[in-house]
Amino acid sequence: MAVTSDSSVRHGKLKAAEALLDEKPLLSETELALIRFTSDYYHHPIGEVVAATLPALLRRGSALFPVVTMTAATPAGAATALDVLEKRAPKQAALMALLVDSGANGVDADTLTEMMPGWRRVSGALLEKGLIEQFEARAEPREAVVELEMEPGPTLNEDQQHAVDAVRQKPGFGAFLLDGVTGSGKTEVYLDLIQNVLRDGRQTLLLVPEIGLTPQLTGRLRRRLGVEPALLHSGLTDLERLSGWREARSGRAKLVVGTRSAVFAPLPELGLIVVDEEHDASLKQQEGLRYSARDIAIVRASRAGVPIILGSATPTLEVLRHCEEGGYQRLELPQRAGGAEPPAVRIVDVSRSRLDEGLSDTLIDAIDKHLANNGQALLFLNRRGFAPTLICTACGNVCECRRCDARMTLHAEVGRLRCHHCGAERVPDEHCEECGSPLKPLGAGTQRIEDVLKRRFPDRAVLRVDSDSTRRKGSMDEALSAAALGEADILVGTQMLSKGHHFPKLTLVGVINADQGLFGTDFRSDERMAQSIVQVAGRAGREQMRGEVLVQTAFPEHPFWQQLVSESYHGVAIRALAERRTTGWPPYSRLALIRAAAHQRGDAHAFLSRALRRVEALGRDAVRALGPVDALMARRAGRYRAQLLLQSDDRAALHSVLRQLRPELEAEPAGRKVRWSIDVDPLDLF
Ligand code: ADP
Ligand code: ZN
Ligand code: ZN
């Protein structure tokens, strides 16, 4: 991090440097400052932050530029008469000819093998004769930078142009929410702005959700911008990642596209940051260094004095609040570009109808109709944030905690209902408290739905896409292209299918178990539910045929559905934001979650109780502590998990407590048996 002549670390504990890896520091002062900020903000050890930001090879001590062995013709070799050599040793002559042509810089072994597979066998004799030589050199990027042919884009519509102008008119840092319905042409706005940055010779960082970095997207960027994007994501080999990082660092890569960790890529000529689908949960790392790539991107843009665009059809309440209060500028694209109409959303009341494994007759009929019209259907199961609960079959009443305004979660394995806010638990009732009708658990799976569909539509191709069906590398891309080409008639899947994809034939979207999200345990349940439904609905009818969305619910009168149908996502978001203001949940307060796991449940709780007492002493009235309570999945991989939630209206107060707390917890004897972590701005509370 720095060179210094003294240290507060005891002499015996200091270690000697073993080797000098780089002549010049890998990271510039700007990048080091971002690392320091990240370490401070997330209360995470700085060494681990550095490690998390570096490509694996650099972390393990490789040089920035890998060294390769080059082979080249010597001056004597270049002067040799090749036709003479040809007669005696034709293979040697062929290799000589190749090397003479390649010049004095030589050729690396991999390239030689490609050009002349048996070259090693003949190289010995040539080396002995002094006609060729071998030496070590820095591996250079293999593909030369090519200027690609640029494909023109559509003329921007008025809303798009307005968005572009707003960003261009503001010099220096500015945060913009590009709030555009699905298919409204957000990507076209990014492209226009990126082109402008390219013209200035500066770099753009484009962050996308894990599932969004498809060959479709990179192809579009390449064609439209005429540059080769440098990629940084987890699907690459270590060497490819290092090479992308190097290209970014050298300033040669004008466009760096990556998932979460790319936010730390060194970018000396940074001119613009775009975060696509800013609401996507994959932008937040959920283990180790638990950072939000979106939030770090905002800090980074502000320090670099460049604009940042956050794009989404379903922006988070955090970002909407900033817009409301004037910190960020909201740019709207209210209509689909290219003239496609928004899909018609219809609520299907399933509270009284008979369901075939979760599918209503209305939905089955609609599938029939759309397939007959040459359309494609997508059935969506919302499983994120899913917590099993008990629900009344007649009135829809859900078992609630008696001490908190929260739903109880069913732990089927122990036959108990638990509250994950306060830890209360009880034996589940058999009948509804309100109306006395029987209660039943809420839940359904993609495989069950796939089976029904195959039975009901035996002549149709059904394709299931979820984390189980796409475990094999490349299978996700295969499934998506099969879906896009219309090879599958009916798609069944989870969130994976809902994001950013373009399926030209898709006209019907069915949301099967919508109610699960209505009764989630998390204060973000409503927001997430609305996001996933609006995102998946956005897949329907993106071309000529108008799309239709059927949402099955047992609670058609619930205000959530009313708002979603009449005012779309924003209706739900405005209500949720008002609710959060009243209840004091984020974005109207700040959270940090301390998690602990141990082989003995008591150890995890004892540790968190210690933490609780310290927080009470340090935080006074400014920081509230809730818990400790068991985690939703109280036992995982043989460890008991518990958590303590810290909440404050005052960010500085919360951070000051955490700053003092962390070293104390590190020194805490009760911590030895416990694995613990601090999660600042946690996304998943349970
Ligand atoms: P988003 O990123 O908001 O989902 P895209 O930028 O991918 O939207 O645009 C959706 C579709 O509309 C694409 O096929 C795109 O080519 C087309 N499109 C975008 N902007 C325009 C425009 N101004 N005129 C015509 N078609 C457009
Ligand atoms: Zn009831
Ligand atoms: Zn409770």
Side-chain angles (χ1 to χ4, degrees):
M1 300 303 296
V3 176
T4 178
S5 53
D6 51 74
S7 169
S8 59
V9 179
R10 264 196 302 116
H11 219 79
K13 286 210 127 194
L14 287 173
K15 295 194 174 143
E18 288 178 10
L20 182 65
L21 289 175
D22 304 286
E23 298 293 331
K24 281 191 212 136
L26 275 184
L27 300 167
S28 71
E29 206 30 65
T30 316
E31 283 125 27
L32 287 175
L34 192 68
I35 286 173
R36 280 193 205 96
F37 167 83
T38 306
S39 166
D40 284 347
Y41 187 83
Y42 291 103
H43 300 277
H44 202 76
I46 194 151
E48 286 184 31
V49 178
V50 173
T53 65
L54 289 178
L57 283 175
L58 293 180
R59 208 152 60 216
R60 285 187 235 121
S62 297
L64 179 59
F65 294 92
V67 169
V68 288
T69 304
M70 307 295 282
T71 307
T74 58
T80 308
L82 283 179
D83 46 345
V84 180
L85 188 60
E86 168 105 54
K87 287 188 195 115
R88 277 186 295 115
K91 290 225 171 98
Q92 288 183 21
L95 179 58
M96 265 325 294
L98 198 159
L99 291 173
V100 170
D101 279 350
S102 308
N105 291 338
V107 187
D108 68 272
D110 284 351
T111 311
L112 275 178
T113 305
E114 252 168 49
M115 298 167 86
M116 189 182 164
W119 71 276
R120 278 180 208 274
R121 261 175 282 127
V122 292
S123 64
L126 293 173
L127 275 169
E128 240 165 64
K129 284 184 257 179
L131 298 179
I132 65 172
E133 59 183 346
Q134 290 188 322
F135 50 89
E136 308 231 293
R138 212 190 228 202
E140 293 298 335
R142 296 193 65 189
E143 66 274 42
V145 184
V146 277
E147 283 296 317
L148 303 161
E149 196 71 20
M150 268 213 288
E151 201 172 86
T155 311
L156 297 184
N157 62 35
E158 217 173 291
D159 295 321
Q160 288 170 320
Q161 191 60 53
H162 171 256
V164 166
D165 293 343
V167 177
R168 286 210 202 144
Q169 273 156 21
K170 187 155 187 220
F173 169 70
F176 301 88
L177 167 64
L178 186 60
D179 187 349
V181 299
T182 53
S184 59
K186 293 185 289 298
T187 311
E188 289 300 331
V189 172
Y190 307 154
L191 288 169
D192 196 280
L193 290 167
I194 296 172
Q195 252 158 15
N196 210 41
V197 174
L198 281 175
R199 260 178 241 126
D200 290 345
R202 301 181 72 188
Q203 296 176 289
T204 300
L205 172 64
L206 171 59
L207 291 179
V208 296
E210 256 150 38
I211 213 124
L213 218 173
T214 57
Q216 272 172 315
L217 174 72
T218 47
R220 184 170 172 191
L221 294 169
R222 195 179 291 124
R223 283 194 308 278
R224 292 290 305 286
L225 297 168
V227 296
E228 190 62 43
L231 302 182
L232 286 171
H233 61 90
S234 55
L236 302 173
T237 65
D238 286 349
L239 265 178
E240 288 168 330
R241 268 185 94 98
L242 178 59
S243 136
W245 196 85
R246 213 168 36 219
E247 291 294 288
R249 182 177 177 274
S250 69
R252 260 198 311 267
K254 295 300 175 203
L255 174 60
V256 175
V257 188
T259 50
R260 191 170 61 221
S261 67
V263 75
F264 294 110
L267 297 158
E269 306 288 338
L270 184 62
L272 171 70
I273 303 181
V274 178
V275 182
D276 191 27
E277 312 289 6
E278 68 79 19
H279 64 276
D280 196 276
S282 76
L283 288 166
K284 164 98 187 187
Q285 170 123 325
Q286 306 279 13
E287 58 198 37
L289 170 61
R290 293 166 169 79
Y291 66 96
S292 156
R294 177 200 60 203
D295 294 347
I296 293 186
I298 294 166
V299 171
R300 189 164 185 183
S302 134
R303 294 182 164 208
V306 302
I308 178 167
I309 321 295
L310 309 168
S312 179
T314 54
T316 54
L317 299 190
E318 278 77 7
V319 169
L320 285 174
R321 183 197 174 195
H322 279 294
C323 293
E324 218 172 60
E325 295 179 357
Y328 301 177
Q329 194 175 336
R330 179 163 160 214
L331 307 167
E332 274 186 284
L333 303 180
Q335 265 146 30
R336 279 187 165 179
E341 289 211 48
V345 181
R346 203 153 43 106
I347 299 294
V348 180
D349 181 357
V350 293
S351 62
R352 275 172 196 83
S353 52
R354 205 181 49 85
L355 298 179
D356 186 355
E357 296 280 344
L359 300 188
S360 63
D361 290 342
T362 316
L363 184 54
I364 298 270
D365 291 346
I367 297 174
D368 241 344
K369 194 187 82 194
H370 281 262
L371 295 186
N373 282 335
N374 253 327
Q376 194 180 31
L378 187 166
L379 299 191
F380 172 70
L381 268 82
N382 178 46
R383 277 203 306 205
R384 181 153 103 214
F386 168 64
T389 187
L390 281 180
I391 187 164
C392 171
T393 46
C395 75
N397 181 41
V398 175
C399 296
E400 297 222 337
C401 175
R402 299 197 171 105
R403 281 194 284 160
C404 308
D405 186 16
R407 288 118 196 170
M408 302 287 275
T409 301
L410 180 65
H411 287 249
E413 66 292 354
V414 290
R416 294 178 85 83
L417 287 171
R418 266 188 207 143
C419 168
H420 288 273
H421 289 276
C422 71
E425 58 175 59
R426 63 174 194 254
V427 176
D429 313 317
E430 281 181 18
H431 298 281
C432 173
E433 285 182 332
E434 302 288 322
C435 75
S437 305
L439 296 172
K440 65 160 200 196
L442 203 61
T446 43
Q447 301 196 6
R448 247 172 77 191
I449 302 293
E450 183 189 11
D451 292 343
V452 200
L453 289 167
K454 285 188 168 154
R455 175 160 54 73
R456 300 291 293 253
F457 299 95
D459 312 329
R460 297 296 191 166
V462 179
L463 178 68
R464 175 167 59 86
V465 182
D466 56 23
S467 50
D468 296 323
S469 78
T470 54
R471 210 161 277 156
R472 191 172 46 80
K473 203 179 169 197
S475 53
M476 181 70 193
D477 284 338
E478 282 166 31
L480 290 178
S481 69
L485 292 171
E487 283 165 11
D489 299 306
I490 309 175
L491 312 170
V492 187
T494 52
Q495 261 79 14
M496 285 188 141
L497 264 185
S498 71
K499 295 177 184 165
H501 310 302
H502 182 71
F503 305 130
K505 281 182 65 185
L506 188 74
T507 52
L508 175 69
V509 167
V511 181
I512 291 175
N513 54 349
D515 296 331
Q516 284 185 355
L518 281 186
F519 305 108
T521 25
D522 201 302
F523 67 89
R524 285 197 177 89
S525 295
D526 274 20
E527 177 186 357
R528 291 217 175 123
M529 164 93 159
Q531 285 166 345
S532 58
I533 290 182
V534 170
Q535 291 289 340
V536 73
R539 301 309 113 217
R542 287 168 68 96
E543 301 211 337
Q544 292 85 355
M545 286 181 285
R546 178 150 194 219
E548 187 177 19
V549 179
L550 296 189
V551 179
Q552 295 195 149
T553 170
F555 317 102
E557 305 301 323
H558 197 291
F560 178 89
W561 296 122
Q562 303 305 320
Q563 263 141 0
L564 197 63
V565 171
S566 59
E567 299 152 66
S568 186
Y569 178 74
H570 286 280
V572 175
I574 288 164
R575 183 180 59 97
L577 206 52
E579 223 174 80
R580 300 257 190 103
R581 194 196 296 270
T582 324
T583 54
W585 284 110
Y588 296 97
S589 66
R590 294 275 162 181
L591 300 180
L593 189 62
I594 305 178
R595 295 190 178 87
H599 288 295
Q600 304 293 324
R601 182 174 176 274
D603 289 339
H605 278 265
F607 175 78
L608 291 176
S609 299
R610 286 285 304 149
L612 172 64
R613 280 196 294 280
R614 292 306 297 144
V615 170
E616 282 167 350
L618 294 167
R620 314 264 163 177
D621 298 330
V623 178
R624 283 207 302 146
L626 305 161
V629 294
D630 284 345
L632 177 65
M633 202 186 289
R635 192 162 169 237
R636 191 157 103 185
R639 281 173 195 270
Y640 289 88
R641 302 153 75 232
Q643 62 190 43
L644 178 69
L645 183 64
L646 309 187
Q647 184 180 33
S648 179
D649 301 333
D650 176 357
R651 185 206 294 228
L654 179 61
H655 279 267
S656 134
V657 166
L658 289 172
R659 201 166 300 122
Q660 295 173 76
L661 185 64
R662 179 164 69 104
E664 291 186 18
L665 292 182
E666 276 165 357
E668 174 62 50
R672 266 182 242 132
K673 295 181 205 146
V674 179
R675 261 193 218 160
W676 59 274
S677 63
I678 296 175
D679 189 350
V680 176
D681 305 331
L683 215 49
D684 283 312
L685 290 196
F686 302 103

